[in-house]
Amino acid sequence: MKTVNLSSQSGMVLIAMVMILWMLSLLLLTAMMQVQSYWQKADFYEKRYYQHYNQAYSGLNWALSQAWPVPSRIWYCQRMSSLSLTACFKTSSQADFVLVKGVSKTLPLYYLAQYLPNGQLAITQGHWLDFCPEKKQRDCDE
């Protein structure tokens, strides 16, 4: 009868198990790295969106404190370079309103406002928009 050397076989099984455990750990770490990378990218884009949103919203609020000329069908813009604020306005296709736009690099926000005789703008509650209310897109672009 032959005798089997169990110590050499159990050593091979142990090495195989360690290799399998090492491979599973590597796969798990790779997956975790991909998830972290996705979260970092999503966080970056969310922060950038809020920065542009706040910049455009600040431009809208700044526009309310400015004196404006008589509105026309062409965009008229004012800039405050120290804070990088830009606000534009023009007559709206909706009767008795002017369209006010606060601009950041990629995100415009809008108000439908009324033009007062002293050159000031007055808004009423509910006229803040995150889309252009004009029917034709070319009326929204500068």
Side-chain angles (χ1 to χ4, degrees):
M1 240 179 130
K2 264 182 160 176
T3 58
V4 178
N5 187 356
L6 291 177
S7 65
S8 74
Q9 285 182 349
S10 64
M12 292 301 285
V13 169
L14 181 62
I15 289 174
M17 289 181 67
V18 167
M19 291 296 286
I20 289 172
L21 186 60
W22 180 77
M23 292 287 282
L24 288 174
S25 299
L26 185 62
L27 286 172
L28 182 63
L29 285 173
T30 302
M32 288 175 59
M33 188 176 80
Q34 288 176 346
V35 167
Q36 181 192 18
S37 175
Y38 171 78
W39 284 344
Q40 283 178 331
K41 189 183 286 186
D43 186 49
F44 169 77
Y45 285 123
E46 185 175 0
K47 284 179 183 175
R48 190 171 70 175
Y49 167 79
Y50 282 116
Q51 286 172 344
H52 288 293
Y53 174 86
N54 288 331
Q55 191 73 22
Y57 193 70
S58 295
L60 277 178
N61 286 327
W62 175 70
L64 297 177
S65 66
Q66 301 305 302
W68 295 90
V70 176
S72 68
R73 298 292 297 155
I74 321 172
W75 286 104
Y76 177 82
C77 296
Q78 293 188 31
R79 289 175 178 77
M80 176 190 262
S81 56
S82 63
L83 295 176
S84 299
L85 297 179
T86 302
C88 304
F89 95 127
K90 68 179 237 171
T91 57
S92 175
S93 62
Q94 300 183 27
D96 300 328
F97 287 105
V98 292
L99 186 60
V100 184
K101 177 168 56 171
V103 183
S104 75
K105 290 181 183 176
T106 59
L107 179 70
L109 296 176
Y110 301 91
Y111 274 141
L112 280 176
Q114 292 180 328
Y115 182 78
L116 302 176
N118 63 357
Q120 296 293 310
L121 301 174
I123 59 166
T124 56
Q125 189 173 5
H127 283 116
W128 173 89
L129 304 166
D130 59 353
F131 61 92
C132 182
E134 301 297 317
K135 293 178 183 176
K136 297 176 183 171
Q137 181 62 35
R138 71 172 186 250
D139 292 335
C140 299
D141 299 332
E142 285 188 62

